[in-house]
Amino acid sequence: MEFASMSKRQRSDVSSPTFASGAKIRRVTTASAIYEQLHAAILSLQMKPGVALQEKRIAEEFGVSRTPVREALLRLAEAGLVEIFPQSGTFVSPIPVSAIPEAVVIRKSLERTTVEHAAEIATAGDIARLDAIIARQRVHAALNEPSQFHEEDEAFHEAISAIAGYPGIWSILKSVKLQIDRARRLTLPVRGRMDSVIEEHMTIRDAIAAHDVDHARGAMMRHLSAVIPDIDELRLLYPGYFS
Amino acid sequence: MEFASMSKRQRSDVSSPTFASGAKIRRVTTASAIYEQLHAAILSLQMKPGVALQEKRIAEEFGVSRTPVREALLRLAEAGLVEIFPQSGTFVSPIPVSAIPEAVVIRKSLERTTVEHAAEIATAGDIARLDAIIARQRVHAALNEPSQFHEEDEAFHEAISAIAGYPGIWSILKSVKLQIDRARRLTLPVRGRMDSVIEEHMTIRDAIAAHDVDHARGAMMRHLSAVIPDIDELRLLYPGYFS
DNA sequence: CTGAGCGGATTGATATACTAGTATCCAAAA
DNA sequence: TTTTGGATACTAGTATATCAATCCGCTCAG
């Protein structure tokens, strides 16, 4: 792994504070920048499960001291992406096979709640926003851009949470999706799968637009069942990546 | 706020590493000890919402350097108990009124899932464990010990998650319950409420024991609806505590 | 030849020192 | 009297130094 070393002055030319949910006024700090980089690297499997992370080495690569690196690693540990063994070392977490079924259960439970409520109260504008996301997904599928496609996939589910008025649920879902997505990233993105995802999204969208709670729930449940990665197969392909 | 200053040697006489879920080998560290203390202080409202927390002052009170204090504060910030404004200050978070309805929704969604699955697969031993918890609750109610009662209440819900085989759901529930409990702590514990909680727990327990999924779900939903704190009233009693 | 014990090297944990941004307060001018 | 400008003090962010624990390899005794 190589990282572009960052200037210490980076935080001077930062944009105005973000007033996101919860009134976080936190600006871009060195620690959080490193967190983002490592987070992306682990999620994209550029850093493979099991490899050692050394505070000192990372600090040198980024051109900063160990303190912000340590802060970033602590946050990654809380997210479950790295494991810190005191006085021993820090390693990229293996993908926790055992946790994935539960993660799927949690997703189903929470997304069921959001999609039901969204179907009840969605406005025309909300539907338009979903349509826009699906349209972008079609483009990415046609151009075979799995990464951007996945981003829009996240946007779709986030939009539903937003429609339901449950932004907090989305932040929980994000953390739950982490490990699932890491496993899924191992499977080659299949062209056909993207198309069926779009179809499933369309079904969900239609049910929400029709305020049909039952169909919305059913469509979402089928959708979520379809995206469960085949762990056993992956375990064979990538031994040592799982716990 | 006053804290007992801690000996630097505290971590020497620590018990063997904990092998909790996820193979965390993390021992008791200064930072986590401080985290626990602050966590408890904020949750018990010994530290009122809005008051300023200064890394330096806390470090002096605990007799440690700023580094572990800072680590603890970062974790508290992630849990939503404090808000860190860079180069400005750290403050105990106000109780986020707007988030409480959503928190209740999340609880209902997840606890519905756990109680349903628990009702399906509970064994006699599981029921015995629930009975033991309820028995302890009776004692604490009789002796009017709200704090211990609340601990056993948590244990009851945790036990159901454990029966269902969803320990991850419990850890999510814990973080979601945080703000709810903080609001609830403002209401004086009423003797009668403890008794009705026990009754509701009994109903849930009976439904689980009978493998009656529908009744288990219904009882749990009623139970969770009953514990919603009356925010409007609290807002009048404690202005400035809420966001 | 084998194994226990010692010692050095590595690295995580903590402490301290330093930098830079923010807010407040006071004084001076309108 | 009010407003604005600057100086000051305080706080979080970062860097560096020091401490301590664990691990690995080597040596020496059996």
Side-chain angles (χ1 to χ4, degrees), chain A residues 11 22-23 25-27 35 67 70-71 74-75 77-79 83-87 101-102 105-106 109-113 116 165-170 172 175-176, chain B residues 22-27 35 67 70-71 74-75 77-78 83-87 101-102 105-106 108-113 116 165-170 172 175-176:
Chain A
R11 72 178 183 284
I25 317 224
R26 175 152 215 132
R27 60 149 45 85
Y35 173 84
T67 310
R70 180 171 171 69
E71 251 176 45
L74 282 170
R75 285 177 58 191
E78 268 185 273
E83 286 179 2
I84 301 177
F85 299 89
Q87 273 78 42
E102 185 177 2
V105 168
I106 295 171
S109 177
L110 291 177
E111 298 230 34
R112 168 191 171 134
T113 301
E116 283 178 354
Y166 298 143
I169 290 187
W170 174 246
I172 295 175
S175 68
V176 168
Chain B
K24 285 185 195 168
I25 320 226
R26 177 146 214 137
R27 61 149 48 85
Y35 174 83
T67 311
R70 177 169 174 71
E71 256 176 43
L74 282 170
R75 287 177 56 191
E78 268 186 272
E83 286 179 5
I84 300 176
F85 298 89
Q87 272 75 40
E102 185 177 1
V105 168
I106 296 171
K108 283 190 178 178
S109 176
L110 292 176
E111 298 230 37
R112 167 190 172 137
T113 301
E116 283 178 355
Y166 297 142
I169 291 187
W170 174 244
I172 295 175
S175 67
V176 168

Side-chain angles (χ1 to χ4, degrees), chain A residues 27-220:
Chain A
R27 60 149 45 85
V28 171
T29 184
T30 313
S32 61
I34 294 171
Y35 173 84
E36 296 293 344
Q37 290 245 9
L38 292 176
H39 184 278
I42 293 173
L43 217 71
S44 68
L45 290 166
Q46 288 166 38
M47 298 189 118
K48 303 193 190 311
V51 304
L53 290 164
Q54 290 147 19
E55 290 185 1
K56 192 180 171 185
R57 194 176 53 74
I58 295 171
E60 284 168 1
E61 282 174 2
F62 278 102
V64 299
S65 84
R66 278 175 54 198
T67 310
V69 173
R70 180 171 171 69
E71 251 176 45
L73 288 178
L74 282 170
R75 285 177 58 191
L76 287 169
E78 268 185 273
L81 291 180
V82 306
E83 286 179 2
I84 301 177
F85 299 89
Q87 273 78 42
S88 171
T90 301
F91 305 88
V92 177
S93 300
I95 299 170
V97 201
S98 57
I100 286 186
E102 185 177 2
V104 174
V105 168
I106 295 171
R107 272 200 80 177
K108 284 190 177 177
S109 177
L110 291 177
E111 298 230 34
R112 168 191 171 134
T113 301
T114 55
V115 81
E116 283 178 354
H117 200 226
E120 284 171 9
I121 65 174
T123 66
D126 294 331
I127 304 301
R129 235 164 296 146
L130 292 180
D131 285 335
I133 293 168
I134 293 175
R136 284 195 290 274
Q137 283 197 296
R138 282 193 208 283
V139 175
H140 294 314
L143 299 175
N144 197 30
E145 300 168 335
S147 185
Q148 288 99 316
F149 182 87
H150 183 254
E151 261 180 52
E152 294 297 336
D153 186 274
E154 292 231 319
F156 183 80
H157 289 270
E158 180 176 11
I160 292 176
S161 302
I163 292 171
Y166 298 143
I169 290 187
W170 174 246
S171 67
I172 295 175
L173 281 174
K174 261 196 298 187
S175 68
V176 168
K177 271 164 58 61
L178 261 189
Q179 304 291 0
I180 301 178
D181 287 342
R182 212 147 67 104
R184 238 187 0 192
R185 197 68 66 111
L186 289 172
T187 68
L188 285 181
V190 184
R191 175 67 212 288
R193 179 62 199 139
M194 287 201 241
D195 290 334
S196 45
V197 164
I198 291 174
E199 266 182 53
E200 289 159 19
H201 281 186
M202 278 298 296
T203 312
I204 295 169
R205 170 241 176 260
D206 289 341
I208 293 175
H211 300 296
D212 186 335
V213 173
D214 290 335
H215 274 87
R217 175 180 54 238
M220 177 63 85

